[in-house]
Amino acid sequence: MNDPEIRTLLYPLLLGGVYVDELPTGTTRADVVHITEQFMHGYELKGDADTLQRVARQLPCYSQAYDFVTFVVTEKHLPKLLTQVPEWVGVLVASPGNLHLHRPALYNATVERPAVAALLRVEEIKQYLLARGLPGVSTLRRRDILSFLRTTRLVPLSDLAHFVRRQLMGRMDERLLMRAERKAERERLARVRRKRPGKRQKR
């Protein structure tokens, strides 16, 4: 099985909220992130042609940012994967036409504020901090803001995470609207081209 086939099986399981493909997360990208008002769940997909070489780099990025993490793998990867991920990481096994739950994802208690904030654009992070009465952040660079979030006690993780989820969900709404507008414009242009008369023949 390959990545598109696995995604086709996974998407219908992501109920409520939105899901985002290829979301930059730390030094990597999460294949699919399911975002609701209550949680963010990162999914990493491994098809038959993939390897598990990057798991050691991907997992720390996901564990710092997402409330739940699940690896979706084909049967050939299962034995080796189980030796590389802790028991709180969920595992789904993909086979043609089916996703089998090997074990559910448990709540991740290792989420960190800088990693969650880093899912947003720097201006969005500044907007949030300014709204909390921290005006000095407006001139800081991204790395300085993330360093501040690592040490401050002025920003509760739960409040920051809620803001990040809302922003990402709102951004998806914008993307869907833009996608619909582009589709409508393509259809309009196609209708115009179909109505356009052919070249007049010379008399």
Side-chain angles (χ1 to χ4, degrees):
M1 293 192 68
N2 58 30
D3 185 286
E5 292 170 331
I6 296 174
R7 289 176 189 266
T8 299
L9 296 174
L10 177 62
Y11 291 154
L13 303 181
L14 309 181
L15 304 177
V18 302
Y19 60 82
V20 182
D21 292 315
E22 306 298 331
L23 182 63
T25 308
T27 58
T28 186
R29 287 176 178 267
D31 284 329
V32 181
V33 181
H34 182 204
I35 306 169
T36 73
E37 289 278 354
Q38 293 75 36
F39 63 81
M40 289 189 288
H41 192 152
Y43 291 85
E44 178 62 29
L45 282 48
K46 300 293 185 184
D48 287 324
D50 296 321
T51 72
L52 301 182
Q53 293 179 354
R54 294 192 299 150
V55 170
R57 181 166 64 86
Q58 292 167 327
L59 184 57
C61 294
Y62 302 159
S63 65
Q64 292 173 15
Y66 301 128
D67 304 291
F68 300 94
V69 176
T70 292
F71 277 73
V72 189
V73 300
T74 53
E75 189 70 40
K76 63 174 282 188
H77 293 306
L78 182 60
K80 186 175 181 180
L81 176 74
L82 294 177
T83 67
Q84 296 187 42
V85 298
E87 292 192 359
W88 62 265
V89 173
V91 179
L92 286 168
V93 181
S95 58
N98 182 55
L99 278 184
H100 166 70
L101 178 62
H102 180 81
R103 72 183 187 207
L106 303 179
Y107 180 73
N108 169 27
T110 63
V111 174
E112 299 181 4
R113 283 170 299 196
V116 173
L119 298 173
L120 297 182
R121 306 180 186 104
V122 66
E123 292 306 320
E124 291 173 300
I125 307 172
K126 288 182 178 181
Q127 171 192 335
Y128 167 78
L129 294 175
L130 288 170
R132 291 191 62 85
L134 301 169
V137 302
S138 59
T139 59
L140 296 179
R141 292 173 294 182
R142 183 182 184 86
R143 67 180 182 183
D144 296 324
I145 292 175
L146 298 182
S147 177
F148 167 76
L149 288 172
R150 187 172 291 110
T151 58
T152 185
R153 295 185 178 182
L154 300 175
V155 180
L157 173 60
S158 59
D159 190 72
L160 172 63
H162 183 258
F163 175 79
V164 170
R165 293 193 296 266
R166 292 291 299 273
Q167 289 295 110
L168 291 174
M169 291 175 68
R171 190 183 301 172
M172 181 52 59
D173 290 340
E174 293 175 7
R175 289 175 180 172
L176 292 174
L177 178 60
M178 291 175 62
R179 189 181 303 169
E181 290 174 347
R182 288 196 296 268
K183 181 180 179 181
E185 179 64 12
R186 287 196 300 270
E187 292 174 349
R188 186 189 69 80
L189 292 174
R191 288 194 297 269
V192 169
R193 284 194 291 269
R194 285 196 296 268
K195 292 179 180 178
R196 192 173 297 163
K199 294 181 179 179
R200 294 181 180 177
Q201 298 200 1
K202 295 180 180 178
R203 294 179 180 177

